[in-house]
Each structure stands twice: as structure tokens, then as C-alpha cells.
Amino acid sequence: MIDGSTTSRRHSVDAIVERLSALPGKANLFNPYAGFDAEIEGADAPVTRRRNLGRYLAAMANRDVRDLWLGEAPSRFGARRTGVPFTGDGRLADLSQRLGLDPPLARATRGTLPTLESGTSREIWNAVPDPLPLFWNAVLFHPHRGVLPLRNRTPTRTEIAEHRKVLEMIVAIFAPRRILCIGRMAQRAADGLGIPATYVRHPAQGGAIRFRAGVTAFLDD
């Protein structure tokens, strides 16, 4: 880590959240830490998501992080709503309990909405070991199809490059010993970080069985 002191780590976490909130979104790239979707949430939603991410990272900074699980980008039901990678509305209570967070991480979307979850998130959470790895994404904003803002798309190499500095900050703060790259985009993002990185098949589009096998082999190594 950058520094052993709790204060220094807290400042480093705050710098990451501030950087994310300041990065510009695009017509087809939603910044959940600065913008909000009036159809499902209020104007205070980005504040809630920034707070959630800060509390999550601060809690992980107090742990010995061995593994970083790196995904591609938030899904429409995941960090786009909550601000925390791999974590949809329905996983906030579980994650909060496992990290000992009281009060728990807050929901940014309206409470009457169903707590939908992507198949990818479900597969990842079913494979998560104890102790928890650190969750992160190559791109922290939600890539979508413009006129279809809730349709996921694969992030571009340019978008990954634009978020590279944030990933480097995460690696500097938490000093993970190895990285699990979920999908080829995540593998490309991890290239050059100087940490052993293992590719596993992304669980989407028929990849669940190979994903599970890859995670099992990674954890057994």
C-alpha cells in the first residue's frame, strides 16, 4: 500500500472517488458518481453511490487484500445503481454484513423497484471466497447503447485507457498479490501493472461453466 497509516489510506480512497466523479461521461457512457437517471432515482443518487464506494474501499483498505477481481465494466443492474463493482441492489446487505458495515451501504434507486441482478453478478457472487477479494472494473462507468441507456455494451479500448489511472491508483493503495481477470477486456486492462494476472472466461453468453472452472483453478493455485 501507499502508506501504512489509516489516514493516508482514507485520503487515497477519497482521491479515487473524487477522480471518478470528475471524469466526464459520454452520450453512451453513464457516470454513476456524477449523474442520475430520473426514471429510477433522485438527484441525490450520485452522492449515495460515491459514499457507498468510499465506504467499501475504506473497509477493504483495513484488510489484507490478496486478490483483485477485475471485471470489464458495470452492468445496468450493478454498480450503475449502487456505485460498488459487482454489487447490485440485492447484494448491498450481504456485502455490508461481510464487511461489518453499520449502517449498511445505502440503496440509491427507489425502494419500490425490484432488486434485479445480472447473470454475471450472480455467477461472480456464487464463486466469491472468504476472505473477500477486492472488486474492481477496468471501466467504472456504465457503457450502454446511447438511445438504449439500459442496454449493456462492451467498453472500448479508449475507455479502458481513460480509466487506467484509477486502476493504477487502486493497485498502488491495495497492493494485491495477483489479479483475476474476468474476460479479455479485463485481461488487457491488467497488462503492464506488474502483478500476476490470470484470465478466466467471462460468465456471460454461455461462459458460466468455464468461468466456474477458471475461478476454482485460480483459488486452488
Side-chain angles (χ1 to χ4, degrees):
M1 294 184 183
I2 291 176
D3 190 288
S5 73
T6 301
T7 300
S8 177
R9 290 197 297 269
R10 177 72 254 184
H11 288 165
S12 299
V13 164
D14 290 344
I16 287 176
V17 176
E18 290 171 7
R19 186 177 183 89
L20 287 172
S21 65
L23 284 173
K26 302 175 184 177
N28 61 351
L29 189 68
F30 177 75
N31 180 349
Y33 307 102
F36 71 99
D37 183 346
E39 293 189 7
I40 64 172
E41 58 199 15
D44 60 343
V47 175
T48 299
R49 285 189 280 264
R50 291 197 299 268
R51 186 179 301 118
N52 279 350
L53 181 62
R55 293 184 66 206
Y56 166 70
L57 291 176
M60 292 300 296
N62 289 327
R63 295 169 168 239
D64 179 25
V65 173
R66 180 171 187 261
D67 296 340
L68 167 63
W69 284 26
L70 185 65
E72 294 181 353
S75 74
R76 56 180 175 165
F77 299 131
R80 177 187 172 109
R81 292 193 177 201
T82 67
V84 182
F86 302 171
T87 305
D89 290 333
R91 296 289 182 179
L92 286 172
D94 184 7
L95 181 60
S96 299
Q97 182 178 29
R98 293 180 73 163
L99 291 177
L101 293 175
D102 185 22
L105 298 171
R107 183 169 173 168
T109 54
R110 298 191 183 101
T112 56
L113 291 173
T115 54
L116 300 173
E117 182 175 46
S118 69
T120 295
S121 177
R122 186 164 51 251
E123 286 291 339
I124 289 172
W125 274 90
N126 286 342
V128 166
D130 191 21
L132 284 171
L134 176 66
F135 299 149
W136 203 249
N137 280 309
V139 174
L140 271 294
F141 298 171
H142 176 229
H144 59 83
R145 300 182 184 274
V147 295
L148 299 172
L150 294 183
R151 285 287 301 277
N152 300 327
R153 68 170 173 81
T154 302
T156 67
R157 295 192 181 199
T158 297
E159 290 163 350
I160 289 175
E162 291 170 346
H163 285 239
R164 172 74 177 194
K165 180 61 178 178
V166 181
L167 177 57
E168 292 173 348
M169 292 169 70
I170 283 290
V171 168
I173 294 167
F174 291 93
R177 297 167 180 79
R178 57 182 188 168
I179 302 175
L180 179 73
C181 302
I182 304 172
R184 290 299 183 192
M185 285 294 183
Q187 183 183 33
R188 293 190 188 104
D191 186 43
L193 290 174
I195 300 171
T198 298
Y199 161 81
V200 294
R201 172 72 159 83
H202 196 285
Q205 300 182 13
I209 292 177
R210 290 172 62 190
F211 167 76
R212 294 171 204 156
V215 172
T216 297
F218 176 80
L219 295 176
D220 287 344
D221 189 4

